[in-house]
């Protein structure tokens, strides 16, 4: 009888211990939702690679990759605490911190915190060869997709047309579509051109150039000069897309990884550390990651750094 009672007490104690253990483990779990963009862009494959790194390298981390409409949506989701880290274009980050209702930020997003400057997005304007479009001015009267409504790409499109002395009213038809949908319309001869703000070699434009003859339209130096910071002059190297024989001048704008003040300092530290210590994994996911450099991580940061990220940069001697 005593033996049975002792076994019962022991079983009860083990059950309690297991119960406490499971609570402890649950508390140790850290959920990291990585906010990206459309699946045919660059944000998504890089975000998926980053989520895998975090899941493997950050103890207790459970990760998820969320496809979104990119910059503006990501920043609003971060402000609402519905993601732990997200990709966004530099001009969108700046306007989010300041609060710009026209772009999609009803008030300053004061909970946002910087993690790192990463790679530049190149403005890539691609027209079908048969449309006859060879310059920005040739877009007048033509059908053009400018990106998803109020996305970082669409914000870039507005700025570029404005600097070129144009507006959407000059275009024959404006489509507000993500990258893949824009390409499908061009393949079906229902669209003359698409403007895409993305890393070099973006999947959507590789697909398009492999399917039909295209022209990569340049953004000339005088337009770049009018745009000013945070836009910078860059070139799309010859051979980036099928049939592209020459370098094409354009503008680029730096992308940032952004978090928020509700993310713990330790998790922000680990997210920053694992980003820079696992760059080969990101480079394997997309060539754009080859432009991510630790020495550029805080250059042009348009909002306060997360204290966790700041700790990592101090350890590395770049602050």
């Amino acid at each position: 009888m005593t033996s049975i009672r002792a076994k019962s007490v022991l079983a009860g104690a083990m059950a309690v211990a297991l119960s406490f253990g499971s609570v402890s483990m649950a508390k140790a779990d850290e959920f990291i939702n990585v906010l990206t963009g459309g699946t045919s862009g660059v944000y998504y494959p890089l975000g998926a690679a980053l989520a895998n790194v975090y899941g493997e390298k950050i103890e207790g981390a459970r990760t998820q990759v969320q496809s979104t409409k990119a910059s503006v949506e990501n920043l609003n989701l971060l402000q609402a605490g519905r993601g732990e880290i997200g990709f966004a274009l530099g001009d969108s980050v700046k306007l989010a911190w300041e609060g710009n209702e026209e772009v999609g930020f009803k008030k300053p997003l004061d909970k946002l915190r910087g993690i790192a400057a990463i790679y530049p997005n190149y403005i890539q304007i691609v027209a079908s060869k048969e449309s006859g479009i060879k310059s920005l001015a040739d877009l007048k009267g033509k059908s053009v997709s400018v990106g998803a409504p109020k996305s970082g790409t669409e914000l870039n499109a507005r700025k570029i047309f404005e600097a070129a002395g144009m507006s959407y009213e000059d275009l024959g038809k404006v489509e507000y579509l993500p990258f893949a949908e824009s390409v499908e319309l061009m393949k079906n001869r229902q669209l003359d051109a698409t403007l895409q703000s993305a890393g070099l070699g973006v999947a959507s434009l590789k697909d398009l150039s492999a399917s039909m003859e295209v022209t990569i339209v340049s953004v000339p130096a005088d337009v770049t000069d009018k745009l000013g910071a945070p836009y910078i002059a860059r070139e799309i190297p010859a051979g980036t897309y099928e049939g592209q024989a020459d370098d094409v001048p354009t503008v680029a704008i730096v992308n940032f990884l952004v978090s928020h003040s509700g993310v713990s300092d330790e998790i922000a530290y680990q997210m920053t550390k694992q980003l820079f210590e696992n760059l080969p994994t990101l480079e394997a996911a997309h060539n754009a990651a080859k432009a991510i450099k630790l020495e550029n991580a805080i250059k042009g940061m348009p909002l306060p750094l997360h204290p966790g990220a700041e700790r990592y940069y101090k350890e590395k001697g770049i602050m």
Side-chain angles (χ1 to χ4, degrees), residues 78 84-85 111-113 115 257-260 263 271 306:
L78 288 168
E84 282 61 51
I85 192 167
K111 294 179 182 177
L112 299 181
R113 297 293 182 269
I115 294 294
L257 281 171
V258 181
S259 187
H260 62 84
V263 171
M271 290 195 301
H306 195 293

Side-chain angles (χ1 to χ4, degrees), residues 114-118 254 256 272 276 293-306 309-310 312-314 317-319:
I115 294 294
I118 43 175
V254 175
F256 290 85
T272 311
F276 287 105
K293 307 290 182 188
L294 178 60
E295 59 267 29
N296 297 330
I298 58 175
K299 286 183 180 176
M301 181 65 69
L303 75 173
L305 276 173
H306 195 293
E310 190 173 321
Y312 177 74
Y313 296 134
K314 284 178 177 175
I318 66 167
M319 283 190 77

Side-chain angles (χ1 to χ4, degrees), residues 2-217:
T2 304
S3 176
I4 294 171
R5 187 172 293 151
K7 285 180 181 178
S8 175
V9 169
L10 180 60
M14 286 178 69
V16 170
L18 285 170
S19 172
F20 275 112
S22 66
V23 170
S24 176
M25 285 175 67
K27 284 184 177 176
D29 280 351
E30 288 285 354
F31 186 64
I32 300 175
N33 187 22
V34 183
L35 305 171
T36 60
T39 54
S40 60
V42 177
Y43 286 176
Y44 189 84
L46 285 186
L50 199 58
N52 286 337
V53 166
Y54 290 164
E56 290 174 10
K57 305 287 186 178
I58 302 177
E59 189 176 352
R62 293 181 299 116
T63 60
Q64 173 181 298
V65 185
Q66 184 174 339
S67 175
T68 67
K69 293 177 183 175
S71 298
V72 175
E73 183 178 6
N74 289 350
L75 295 166
N76 280 316
L77 286 170
L78 288 168
Q79 174 74 12
R82 292 170 59 192
E84 282 61 51
I85 192 167
F87 292 76
L89 278 165
D91 52 353
S92 296
V93 177
K94 182 174 183 290
L95 292 170
W97 183 249
E98 294 169 353
N100 185 308
E101 192 165 354
E102 185 183 351
V103 174
F105 307 114
K106 294 181 180 178
K107 59 182 181 179
L109 305 192
D110 58 352
K111 294 179 182 177
L112 299 181
R113 297 293 182 269
I115 294 294
I118 43 175
Y119 66 93
N121 258 24
Y122 286 68
I123 304 303
Q124 300 169 76
I125 304 171
V126 181
S128 64
K129 200 87 166 179
E130 67 183 30
S131 71
I133 296 167
K134 295 179 180 178
S135 68
L136 274 179
D138 292 340
L139 292 171
K140 291 179 179 178
K142 303 292 187 178
S143 56
V144 183
S145 177
V146 294
K150 293 188 176 180
S151 63
T153 292
E154 201 252 315
L155 174 61
N156 292 162
R158 289 190 200 195
K159 292 289 185 184
I160 286 162
F161 287 135
E162 184 183 333
M166 297 167 61
S167 72
Y168 289 170
E169 291 180 2
D170 293 310
L171 305 177
K173 186 179 181 183
V174 182
E175 296 282 5
Y176 298 88
L177 296 169
F179 296 172
E181 286 88 335
S182 302
V183 164
E184 286 307 310
L185 282 187
M186 287 187 70
K187 286 182 185 178
N188 294 330
R189 307 299 194 270
Q190 295 174 286
L191 188 68
D192 294 315
T194 176
L195 182 150
Q196 303 196 2
S197 178
L200 290 175
V202 63
S204 54
L205 296 181
K206 276 188 170 290
D207 174 31
L208 179 64
S209 66
S211 305
M212 64 190 296
E213 285 192 289
V214 298
T215 301
I216 315 294
V217 180

Side-chain angles (χ1 to χ4, degrees), residues 200-284:
L200 290 175
V202 63
S204 54
L205 296 181
K206 276 188 170 290
D207 174 31
L208 179 64
S209 66
S211 305
M212 64 190 296
E213 285 192 289
V214 298
T215 301
I216 315 294
V217 180
S218 70
V219 177
D222 62 321
V223 173
T224 303
D225 292 342
K226 285 179 186 173
L227 282 164
Y231 292 89
I232 51 178
R234 284 288 186 271
E235 285 186 338
I236 302 170
T240 300
Y241 299 106
E242 199 163 317
Q244 183 196 344
D246 303 308
D247 296 343
V248 177
T250 190
V251 292
I253 183 166
V254 175
N255 285 290
F256 290 85
L257 281 171
V258 181
S259 187
H260 62 84
S261 57
V263 171
S264 74
D265 291 0
E266 179 59 26
I267 288 298
Y269 169 82
Q270 288 294 337
M271 290 195 301
T272 311
K273 175 184 170 75
Q274 300 308 332
L275 162 70
F276 287 105
E277 294 190 359
N278 292 277
L279 287 177
T281 301
L282 300 190
E283 290 166 14

